[in-house]
Amino acid sequence: MIIFKHFFFSACALTVLACATAQAQDSVKSKTQTTNTAAAERLVHPAMGTTAKAQGGELTLTIIKKHVNYGGSPKEYRDPYVNSPKSANIHPDGTKYYVNSLEGCATVVYDMKTHERLKVIKYDFKDGKDDALWSKPSQFYPFTHYTHNLNTFQGKPVEATFSHGGRYLWIPFYRRTYDLNAQDPSAVAVIDTKTDQIVKLMETGPLPKMVATSHDGKHVAITHWGNNTVGLVNVASLNPDEWFHEKLLVVDYVLPLNFSLKESVDRDNKSGYCLRGTVFTPDDKYLLVGCMGGNGGIAVINMETQEYLGRVLGMMANVRHLVIRDGYLYLSVNKAGYVQRIKLDKFMAAAKAMAGKTTNVGGWEECKVGAGARTIEISPSGHFVFAACNLASKLYVVDTRTMKAVANIDVDSYPVGLDISNDGRYVIVTSQGRGTAGTSGNAVNIYEVEYAEPEPVLKNTDGAAVLETLENKDSADLGKEEKAGGNLTAMLDGEDGGGMSPVAIGAGVVIVLAIVGLLVRRRQKKAQG
């Protein structure tokens, strides 16, 4: 029996903050190989089997696998396609994971059980060759500096988000390789996770980084670090050819871009508010975007009116990542190495009451972690936060019930991206390429987590939106519905429902039968008419 397993496994693990104290750091025992060079650079290469146990016994972390490509890296773990990996994304069905190799201009796909490399998705586009993949251009993203061979480039993948119950993976490019200073439109590639092939290319604004999918599955938000804008893509349809750019929102002002075409500019800093962390509120009525640059804050967008409301201040500056969980808004503070949280209701009350374009809200809980706090994720129970701390070369774990660090463990230098499996058992951390003579970064570390108390398994809620879209289509689109139904069926082939509760399995059966019944009834009506 085919089961809607994709509809119940989490499309993406939710994220939370991390905090730590010196005492907690001292309580963690870990085996590591560390090379000390310049005072400002601590190169770390933890050995396979490195273990860290929480002082109170809450959990234990162990490195069980590595993919590395730094100078002098062990041959048995070396992977030439790991080139400054920016992010990791575990598929909702738990069978594989995707690593975005920024400087390698590729996404590497690995098997979740064996960690064998399954495929390398290369972003090497040539004008004319890939024209069929491009969506219809919008009026939002005009080219102002380049005019020829616009679709001939290599793409530098940054972050990613799953849509349509995990069927598609959206991967924005930092820039098109010919765009020296990332000031013209970039692009986003959409991967069909059944074939791991590109099925759609869409334009974006300059220097897109973060990307997020709404809970109802109707929108994908793409945050443009490069010029203070956020793009909304309507993805309510099951057919990728029907997706379209719906709105371009501006956070206060559009950053003027007129840099040299011959001399490189530091766009990681000279980018206005440097928009980064992006998250939809649980009801999808608002979109929140963190500001790493300027005077910081969190930009608030009303999704019902698709209007920018303003920025909420009061937290520390240099906000990097956002996540909403269990009634709290969590964020990571990059430079200072802090994590903070506040009740979501309190935050939204302040946002809705804004008289101008900024407002302050106090009452943030905060906690110190390693320097360079970047991506954060939370365990299925919501009890533990995992945080990649870039400059500290550490993975921190925080107990959200006390907002105290309970463990930390070494990571190959400059960790930046992180994802956690639906059952909380595995945490994957990517380390970007940096350092002297290529001796640091360029690594992917996989940690196994053993909990004192069993963790639940997160469910994927995106499937409900997919089903609703199918059922609400006009009967005139029956042929398209049948095709979409076939796609949904293909998504589930080979799934045995392992690890699912009887209730989830029964619900999956009901959904499948409902779709089949819907198509049969419409065929009967058509024949009778």
Side-chain angles (χ1 to χ4, degrees), residues 431-442:
S431 297
Q432 66 186 105
R434 275 179 60 185
T436 305
T439 56
S440 64
N442 291 329

Side-chain angles (χ1 to χ4, degrees), residues 405-427:
V406 293
N408 70 70
I409 190 169
D410 280 338
V411 185
D412 277 285
S413 293
Y414 310 119
V416 59
L418 181 156
D419 200 7
I420 184 171
S421 59
N422 297 336
D423 58 4
R425 184 178 177 186
Y426 301 103
V427 175

Side-chain angles (χ1 to χ4, degrees), residues 269-453:
N269 292 301
K270 297 181 178 181
S271 294
Y273 287 130
C274 299
L275 304 183
R276 200 46 163 96
T278 305
V279 62
F280 287 89
T281 55
D283 58 9
D284 287 325
K285 291 183 178 180
Y286 295 90
L287 177 68
L288 310 182
V289 180
C291 302
M292 286 189 73
N295 61 342
I298 296 175
V300 181
I301 293 168
N302 185 324
M303 284 297 296
E304 292 184 310
T305 61
Q306 295 192 346
E307 294 177 322
Y308 165 66
L309 300 182
R311 290 179 297 121
V312 177
L313 307 173
M315 70 295 293
M316 290 185 177
N318 206 216
V319 175
R320 203 277 185 175
H321 205 110
L322 302 178
V323 65
I324 296 172
R325 183 66 182 272
D326 298 331
Y328 281 95
L329 169 62
Y330 291 86
L331 61 84
S332 62
V333 179
N334 176 47
K335 289 181 181 178
Y338 274 83
V339 293
Q340 294 182 289
R341 75 175 182 180
I342 194 171
K343 283 286 188 179
L344 180 60
D345 288 347
K346 182 177 182 179
F347 178 90
M348 291 309 306
K352 295 173 186 178
M354 265 192 291
K357 285 300 180 183
T358 61
T359 189
N360 280 273
V361 60
W364 292 83
E365 297 180 70
E366 65 183 43
C367 190
K368 185 72 175 73
V369 292
R374 300 291 178 89
T375 306
I376 50 177
E377 294 286 351
I378 186 169
S379 70
S381 67
H383 293 163
F384 300 101
V385 174
F386 297 83
C389 295
N390 189 270
L391 298 179
S393 296
K394 292 278 189 178
L395 170 65
Y396 276 87
V397 184
V398 179
D399 191 323
T400 60
R401 294 163 292 189
T402 61
M403 284 297 285
K404 300 292 184 182
V406 293
N408 70 70
I409 190 169
D410 280 338
V411 185
D412 277 285
S413 293
Y414 310 119
V416 59
L418 181 156
D419 200 7
I420 184 171
S421 59
N422 297 336
D423 58 4
R425 184 178 177 186
Y426 301 103
V427 175
I428 300 176
V429 182
T430 61
S431 297
Q432 66 186 105
R434 275 179 60 185
T436 305
T439 56
S440 64
N442 291 329
V444 181
N445 289 261
I446 296 91
Y447 298 82
E448 184 171 16
V449 188
E450 295 182 14
Y451 301 88
E453 298 179 3

